[in-house]
Amino acid sequence: MGVVQICKGEYFWLEPKNAFENFQEPDIGLIALAFLQGSFAYGGWNFLNYVTEELVDPYKNLPRAIFISIPLVTFVYVFANVAYVTAMSPQELLASNAVAVTFGEKLLGVMAWIMPISVALSTFGGVNGSLFTSSRLFFAGAREGHLPRVLAMIHVRRCTPIPALLFTCISTLLMLVTSDMYTLINYVGFINYLFYGVTIAGQIVLRWKKPDIPRPIKINLLFPVIYLLFWAFLLVFSLWSEPVVCGTGLAIMLTGVPVYFLGVYWQHKPKCFDDFIELLTLVSQKMCVVVYPEAERGSGTEGTNDMEEQRQPIYQPTDTKDKDLVGQPQP
């Protein structure tokens, strides 16, 4: 539709003199906020990292998936926006609650119903991918002992982390106390980019302090350095432009601190507390039909070693509690 519009001469807002016209006074904070909101649409690359344990040969397929998906998504989104501005002015874009639907109403006539259905299908696909990946965060955290262990359980037949999925559902519903979509995007974007920057800075520190550790996936340090510069600009000026929204995001993030001290740091809990957690775990197991996953073991035959190695997750935790008990005198 965008190509048809351009061929018909409908490219007024694509001309440089109109495309770069200022509708309000330029502000560096608003520019950073625009980057923060716009980058939300391209944030799917990070979710791929959450499911590395479920990938076959993740060292090869994870970078390949990211390298293919980011240019493809960028191509689609940029040209979709080019199509939008052939039919709508910037003021109409800002006033519309669903730009694609408004675009369809202007150009598709009686077939305009195609656009809301397409948007719904796209949203469903995005939510499906987000649920599939986000629940693995709680699953991995519980397996490491940072969350209740029931979240590390999977269904006996489907092998899906149902408790972690339900926990994701509850936390998502809590986020819906606000109906302002842009506020939610700012919350998520600010917190996500805060952790992105800390993670990438950690990568640089490890490259400097531990240069000899194995790195199956390795990139040039120039890319993380450029990203950190962009990250610092984004967070500092976003915080300056929207201190209340970004401050609320920080407050939401800091709610994890008392949970950490209660669940992880506090080692000697009262017996009644442990009994309650054990009862809660047992009830959750019965309701969700879940158990702890059994660790995969290689068959030991030479013919299947390569396949087993490809299917091994990037990280396999060890049961530190059992290891600490080895050699201890038994009562």
Side-chain angles (χ1 to χ4, degrees):
M1 294 301 299
V3 172
V4 171
Q5 285 287 96
I6 292 174
C7 292
K8 289 167 61 177
E10 300 290 342
Y11 47 80
F12 177 80
W13 293 108
L14 290 174
E15 295 178 357
K17 62 179 181 180
N18 301 316
F20 295 98
E21 180 183 354
N22 289 328
F23 297 97
Q24 59 184 16
E25 288 296 322
D27 182 86
I28 190 68
L30 293 178
I31 293 175
L33 207 59
F35 271 109
L36 187 69
Q37 293 181 354
S39 62
F40 174 79
Y42 301 90
W45 64 270
N46 182 56
F47 288 94
L48 291 169
N49 299 289
Y50 299 165
V51 292
T52 49
E53 289 190 0
E54 301 183 40
L55 286 177
V56 175
D57 195 6
Y59 301 134
K60 181 185 296 182
N61 291 327
L62 178 65
R64 183 182 296 170
I66 294 176
F67 293 154
I68 293 173
S69 62
I70 288 183
L72 182 62
V73 171
T74 303
F75 176 85
V76 172
Y77 282 0
V78 169
F79 280 91
N81 280 278
V82 169
Y84 293 156
V85 296
T86 62
M88 290 175 282
S89 66
Q91 292 86 349
E92 289 178 297
L93 286 169
L94 291 172
S96 174
N97 289 324
V99 177
V101 175
T102 305
F103 177 79
E105 291 173 350
K106 280 180 168 288
L107 299 182
L108 297 179
V110 295
M111 300 299 292
W113 56 269
I114 292 176
M115 294 306 294
I117 291 179
S118 300
V119 171
L121 292 174
S122 175
T123 304
F124 182 82
V127 170
N128 180 63
S130 179
L131 285 176
F132 177 75
T133 53
S134 298
S135 61
R136 269 62 181 176
L137 282 177
F138 301 120
F139 175 81
R143 190 178 58 187
E144 295 298 320
H146 298 159
L147 290 168
R149 295 195 67 186
V150 66
L151 298 179
M153 296 184 182
I154 60 175
H155 193 270
V156 293
R157 291 190 304 275
R158 298 181 178 88
C159 298
T160 51
I162 292 179
L165 284 165
L166 292 176
F167 189 76
T168 304
C169 175
I170 294 172
S171 58
T172 302
L173 291 174
L174 291 176
M175 292 292 177
L176 293 179
V177 294
T178 175
S179 59
D180 187 355
M181 181 59 65
Y182 290 105
T183 300
L184 285 173
I185 291 176
N186 288 339
Y187 284 160
V188 175
F190 183 79
I191 294 175
N192 277 352
Y193 272 90
L194 182 63
F195 281 105
Y196 294 168
V198 171
T199 303
I200 292 175
Q203 178 193 8
I204 296 176
V205 171
L206 284 176
R207 188 78 67 88
W208 172 52
K209 288 191 172 182
K210 297 183 178 180
D212 299 325
I213 62 175
R215 289 182 171 85
I217 303 175
K218 187 175 180 179
I219 62 171
N220 192 293
L221 275 180
L222 179 64
F223 295 104
V225 169
I226 293 175
Y227 186 91
L228 278 181
L229 294 176
F230 173 74
W231 168 81
F233 158 78
L234 203 64
L235 289 190
V236 170
F237 286 103
S238 296
L239 187 59
W240 177 62
S241 178
E242 288 283 350
V244 175
V245 173
C246 296
T248 305
L250 283 173
I252 293 173
M253 180 187 69
L254 291 175
T255 56
V257 175
V259 175
Y260 170 79
F261 277 100
L262 178 65
V264 180
Y265 185 80
W266 186 20
Q267 295 292 327
H268 304 290
K269 301 179 180 65
K271 186 177 184 302
C272 60
F273 184 87
D274 291 334
D275 291 342
F276 172 75
I277 295 297
E278 184 177 353
L279 177 63
L280 183 63
T281 301
L282 183 61
V283 171
S284 301
Q285 279 189 271
K286 291 180 178 179
M287 291 180 61
C288 300
V289 197
V290 292
V291 293
Y292 293 117
E294 183 180 359
E296 294 183 3
R297 302 295 180 187
S299 61
T301 59
E302 186 176 354
T304 58
N305 281 344
D306 293 339
M307 182 61 69
E308 289 293 334
E309 184 178 354
Q310 285 186 347
R311 292 185 179 274
Q312 288 299 317
I314 285 180
Y315 173 71
Q316 259 189 330
T318 56
D319 195 341
T320 54
K321 183 181 293 186
D322 291 344
K323 287 178 64 176
D324 293 340
L325 290 176
V326 175
Q328 296 290 334
Q330 299 299 319

